[in-house]
Amino acid sequence: MAKAPVDYLYYMRAEKLPHMWCPGCGVGVLVKAIIAAIDDMGWDKNDIAFVSGIGCTSRAPGYMDMNTLHTTHGRALTFATGIKMAQPTKHVIVISGDGDATAIGGNHFIHACRRNIDITLIVNNNNIYGMTGGQFSPTTPYGARAATTPYGNIDPAFDLVELAKGAGATYVARGSVDNGRMLQKFVRGGLNHHGFSVIEALTNCHTQFGRRNKMADPIKMIEWISSRVVSNTKAKKMTPEELKGKILTGVMHTDTERPEYCDEYAHLVEWVQSKKAK
Amino acid sequence: MPSEQSEKPKIVFWQGNEVVAQAAVAAGCRFFGGYPITPSSEVASVMSEMMPQVGGTFMQMEDEIAAMGAIIGASLAGVKSCTATSGPGFSLKMEHIGYACMAEVPCVVVNVMRGGPSTGLPTALGQSDVMQARWGTHGDHATIALAPAYHREIYLSTIKCFNYAEKYRLPVMLLIDEVLGHMSEGMTIPDPSEYEIVDRVKATVPPEEYLPYDTAYGDVPPMASYFEGYRFHVTGLNHGANGFPTTNPEYCNSEEIRMVRKVMKDADKLAEFEEYHLNDAEIVIFAYGSTARSAKMAVDKARKEGIRAGLFRALTIWPFPEKQVYELSQRAKAFVVPEVNLGQMILEVERVAKREMPIVGVNKAGGVPISPFEILDKIKEVNKNG
């Protein structure tokens, strides 16, 4: 039987629309994918905490009809960790931008990965600080122009997938906003995963990144993203020469062996209390 | 029938830091987020042992900021929470202390004060964070801070901090110091009949009518927890009654005023203090925390020498006990303010006294306590000059 179409507005605070993002911003595709993935999971929206930090992306929770928390710059995961540990049976989703997650929030990012706490982190990576006016972020490509790299960026960029894997996340995927269906699949995979999941969404900020890098309209930027990404299955058939400069997408890493943090803590409590009872 | 033996109150010999942890559990704290830092670390150690026993959560976070974020998250999810820190850790927590002020999230921040600034004197005494407790986070806000001086009082004050956090919806500070934190002292564990436990006023309206910052109920809005069906929004931005950001100048201004007023209108109720030989005192010592112990002895010694000295020991340092200090200033000849810093609370005494009179500090910032004799010398000096 075909699944009923997703009632997006059911999950949203319709009275908060229109949203504050620029026309053509990729975050819309991502938010749509997240809602569809939540709908897929069949979760009760009363049981979901949707948490963010600061930045354009971090305004997303305000539009969602859930338990929503707009926190401080980079630190959404710390609040989310407190929420999850206080109510381990509930669902906690964090949405973040690239600057939020990997610069000011870099420490919280790696430690949430390390703990393997059952939270899903979705990073809207547009390679720039949008809200503050287009400064370069830890994912801005080498040589790119930003408000604070008028002569081109000399900072090396983070590979978010490798960072998440290395730090211990147990579900890591990367998609892009030129393929919303794929993003939905990856977000669903993250929500369904018992452990810390990271989904990177490559997205367009034509306003701040594109404008400074000869891609001032969303179509140009999305074409640029499409020209750079290669799915990890397709990549297997490509030569190193062909893969040069490409960004792999797909489910990049899964691990179902590592214990989840809330479970570990619950076992500890059980053990301590049984010892005390004796 | 319980024997006479078992009815005897149990005497414990605890470090101040352990007293804090034990009292927090008694107050209903079930989430502790911490980060190792001297001289507060024993609070975390005791919490790590006790939390699993009582079914609560202990988390050692990746840094001080994360610990503060986690306790706010836990509190929003309906669990009483606290953190403990010292010196540089207190500085780091300021970002999220401000968040808890703005979002009106109950939580408790324990600061076991050491010497500073910066890494300063990690293992030594300081009282130099009292102004930071008041003004450390940016923006206007009200502060409640208690500075107990004795271990049994630390126990009861810790419980009061949780109660105030719940009652007023803000982060409440417990300020002890390295001497109190690391000193062990015999005390009886207060019986639950000696204190009350206050819980936040919960939302009772149907979810569709709930406004998280509804001032129709007074200056402290009722609070729903996450996952109870209310699906509300919380932000550190200035927000309307519905919790969503607003930049309306009139509304933002009135909300800032409300969030300060909710505490300040109860300043008199919140003011707790000990008066020692104040009835006929000409020279009033204003002291708090461990320094007040030395001050008390200095008063005794001064009295023996025929000097009419008295002690006003503030337990509540924020809001500053303005009314009480003002009244004292009208009948005393002089104030002596000993503190292990270069003169912080003395500024408040000066501000409140509102008249020309000697107000002199006894100050040391080298990490060692101020002795009763140093205070006595100052009392004598002031007495001679007066």
Side-chain angles (χ1 to χ4, degrees):
Chain A
M1 207 172 76
K3 200 178 164 296
V6 180
D7 180 0
Y8 290 95
L9 284 180
Y10 172 76
Y11 295 95
M12 298 187 82
R13 292 168 173 143
E15 74 278 11
K16 295 292 155 203
L17 298 172
H19 59 69
M20 49 76 74
W21 297 305
C22 303
C25 177
V27 77
V29 175
L30 180 59
V31 168
K32 186 180 174 188
I34 294 169
I35 293 175
I38 290 170
D39 188 72
D40 252 6
M41 293 299 292
W43 287 350
D44 183 340
K45 58 187 182 178
N46 287 311
D47 294 340
I48 305 169
F50 200 50
V51 186
S52 68
I54 295 294
C56 290
T57 306
S58 293
R59 287 303 187 96
Y63 304 114
M64 308 290 265
D65 188 17
M66 298 163 187
N67 305 283
T68 55
L69 181 61
H70 178 224
T71 71
T72 53
H73 197 20
R75 323 218 184 276
L77 281 168
T78 71
F79 293 73
T81 299
I83 294 170
K84 183 68 185 176
M85 290 301 284
Q87 302 284 352
T89 60
K90 306 300 182 186
H91 314 297
V92 182
I93 305 170
V94 176
I95 189 164
S96 186
D98 43 298
D100 198 45
T102 64
I104 192 164
N107 198 31
H108 311 308
F109 177 86
I110 57 172
H111 288 279
C113 293
R114 176 178 62 85
R115 284 187 200 104
N116 194 31
I117 187 165
D118 187 18
I119 292 173
T120 299
L121 170 68
I122 299 150
V123 184
N124 186 54
N125 181 4
N126 58 14
N127 313 99
I128 202 95
Y129 285 87
M131 189 170 269
T132 48
Q135 297 80 10
F136 75 99
S137 86
T139 63
T140 300
Y142 188 84
R145 294 282 198 277
T148 45
T149 56
Y151 310 111
N153 179 31
I154 60 162
D155 272 36
F158 262 142
D159 182 327
L160 232 143
V161 164
E162 290 302 319
L163 186 63
K165 271 164 66 179
T170 47
Y171 177 96
V172 184
R174 182 193 282 133
S176 51
V177 294
D178 63 336
N179 192 338
R181 286 269 165 192
M182 191 168 67
L183 268 181
Q184 180 189 330
K185 198 178 98 188
F186 296 159
V187 174
R188 193 195 187 285
L191 299 180
N192 197 40
H193 176 75
H194 190 60
F196 192 69
S197 49
V198 179
I199 296 96
E200 179 186 9
L202 301 173
T203 189
N204 59 300
C205 177
H206 45 281
T207 307
Q208 298 291 7
F209 184 85
R211 193 162 50 88
R212 292 183 174 85
N213 293 280
K214 301 190 176 99
M215 294 178 283
D217 80 88
I219 305 293
K220 266 193 187 157
M221 271 220 76
I222 288 171
E223 282 170 356
W224 176 68
I225 291 169
S226 296
S227 73
R228 298 173 85 207
V229 295
V230 172
S231 78
N232 54 359
T233 44
K234 196 175 166 195
K236 279 179 194 146
K237 295 171 203 145
M238 289 167 70
T239 65
E241 198 60 23
E242 289 170 317
L243 282 171
K244 219 174 166 192
K246 299 289 184 195
I247 303 168
L248 299 191
T249 58
V251 177
M252 310 297 280
H253 174 69
T254 51
D255 178 350
T256 50
E257 299 296 308
R258 275 191 67 205
E260 190 275 328
Y261 191 78
C262 297
D263 291 346
E264 284 285 88
Y265 191 79
H267 292 151
L268 178 94
V269 169
E270 206 179 318
W271 180 76
V272 169
Q273 293 190 348
S274 68
K275 235 181 88 184
K276 205 179 145 203
K278 281 172 199 167
Chain B
M1 287 280 286
S3 69
E4 211 164 291
Q5 192 78 24
S6 71
E7 278 173 12
K8 259 192 191 166
K10 193 182 161 201
I11 309 263
V12 292
F13 192 64
W14 284 339
Q15 270 197 354
N17 285 342
E18 173 155 20
V19 175
V20 170
Q22 296 279 354
V25 172
C29 176
R30 291 297 178 270
F31 188 99
F32 180 90
Y35 186 82
I37 190 161
T38 307
S40 76
S41 294
E42 294 82 4
V43 179
S45 294
V46 176
M47 280 296 200
S48 69
E49 201 177 327
M50 292 184 74
M51 276 296 140
Q53 292 175 4
V54 297
T57 304
F58 168 86
M59 278 202 85
Q60 182 170 308
M61 296 298 288
E62 58 271 21
D63 61 31
E64 298 277 3
I65 308 168
M68 193 67 211
I71 71 165
I72 295 170
S75 184
L76 285 167
V79 176
K80 284 189 189 178
S81 63
C82 83
T83 186
T85 190
S86 299
F90 196 48
S91 296
L92 286 166
K93 291 203 189 296
M94 287 302 155
E95 179 186 17
H96 284 172
I97 286 172
Y99 188 93
C101 288
M102 184 52 119
E104 300 185 74
V105 182
C107 55
V108 172
V109 181
V110 180
N111 178 8
V112 185
M113 292 186 285
R114 67 191 221 186
S118 189
T119 333
L121 295 161
T123 58
L125 168 70
Q127 289 186 307
S128 49
D129 303 348
V130 288
M131 280 296 172
Q132 192 187 15
R134 176 67 189 90
W135 294 114
T137 194
H138 59 277
D140 286 305
H141 59 281
T143 301
I144 299 176
L146 303 186
Y150 304 94
H151 281 35
R152 206 167 189 279
E153 190 178 61
I154 293 173
Y155 193 100
L156 293 167
S157 297
T158 303
I159 293 171
K160 279 175 192 161
C161 285
F162 280 93
N163 289 347
Y164 292 151
E166 294 287 314
K167 182 176 176 187
Y168 295 101
R169 289 187 62 175
L170 85 170
V172 174
M173 321 266 179
L174 180 76
L175 300 179
I176 59 170
D177 56 52
E178 190 276 335
V179 163
L180 291 170
H182 281 163
M183 179 174 66
S184 294
E185 184 167 67
M187 62 168 234
T188 55
I189 300 174
D191 186 81
S193 64
E194 289 181 57
Y195 52 82
E196 58 168 347
I197 299 288
V198 177
D199 295 317
R200 63 194 69 171
V201 173
K202 300 282 290 182
T204 50
V205 295
E208 58 276 15
E209 287 170 30
Y210 180 63
L211 295 169
Y213 301 95
D214 192 348
T215 53
Y217 298 87
D219 285 340
V220 185
M223 189 175 175
S225 295
Y226 280 167
F227 313 119
E228 290 179 335
Y230 284 89
R231 300 197 307 274
F232 57 101
H233 187 62
V234 175
T235 176
L237 291 166
N238 278 76
H239 43 265
N242 61 5
F244 290 93
T246 178
T247 53
N248 177 303
E250 288 77 30
Y251 195 81
C252 293
N253 185 57
S254 71
E255 278 292 272
E256 295 267 352
I257 290 169
R258 173 185 64 79
M259 287 191 287
V260 171
R261 185 179 58 216
K262 71 179 177 181
V263 172
M264 293 313 291
K265 74 176 177 191
D266 279 357
D268 208 34
K269 265 193 258 174
L270 289 163
E272 285 194 69
F273 47 86
E274 179 191 359
E275 294 175 295
Y276 187 66
H277 289 309
L278 281 182
N279 280 342
D280 63 342
E282 292 178 337
I283 298 171
V284 174
I285 323 294
F286 177 96
Y288 54 93
S290 65
T291 304
R293 292 180 176 231
S294 294
K296 203 170 208 176
M297 190 182 261
V299 167
D300 289 340
K301 290 185 183 300
R303 288 263 160 188
K304 270 188 195 146
E305 297 189 26
I307 303 170
R308 286 198 280 174
L311 170 67
F312 182 87
R313 181 172 72 82
L315 170 61
T316 311
I317 60 166
W318 301 116
F320 188 75
E322 291 186 8
K323 195 180 128 197
Q324 293 75 16
V325 172
Y326 173 75
E327 280 167 9
L328 284 170
S329 73
Q330 297 306 298
R331 53 190 167 97
K333 284 186 180 165
F335 276 105
V336 172
V337 187
E339 352 174 41
V340 188
N341 59 45
L342 296 183
Q344 296 193 13
M345 290 310 278
I346 194 172
L347 300 172
E348 287 294 295
V349 177
E350 287 169 352
R351 177 178 70 82
V352 167
K354 287 190 181 114
R355 76 176 182 93
E356 282 295 315
M357 66 189 293
I359 300 173
V360 294
V362 183
N363 303 100
K364 276 164 90 169
V368 291
I370 298 169
S371 80
F373 299 99
E374 289 168 296
I375 301 170
L376 179 65
D377 285 348
K378 189 61 80 178
I379 294 171
K380 284 182 180 169
E381 189 188 308
V382 169
N383 189 52
K384 207 166 112 190
N385 297 340

